[in-house]
Amino acid sequence: MARNNRMFGSTRSMLILVACICFAIGVLTATGIVTTDKIAWTDLGLFFGFLSFLY
């Protein structure tokens, strides 16, 4: 089997990246820099992080 040398070639890597982005937006929302009322970004980050460990 050939190794995949792309940085974000696997689904798990993409889910971890999305989780980190959601946590970053959650931190910006908590500090008041960004305001979004409809999405709980930290919960969404936890969800994608959990999915990355299941996958």
Side-chain angles (χ1 to χ4, degrees), residues 3-6 8 10 12 15 18-20 23 25-26 31 34-37 40 43-44 46 48-49 51-53 55:
R3 284 182 36 184
N4 190 357
N5 289 329
R6 292 185 302 170
F8 299 113
S10 69
R12 186 175 186 179
L15 287 171
V18 170
C20 289
F23 278 126
I25 294 172
T31 58
V34 177
T35 56
T36 57
D37 294 333
D43 292 341
L44 195 61
L46 286 172
F48 282 116
L51 280 180
S52 70
F53 287 111
Y55 197 80

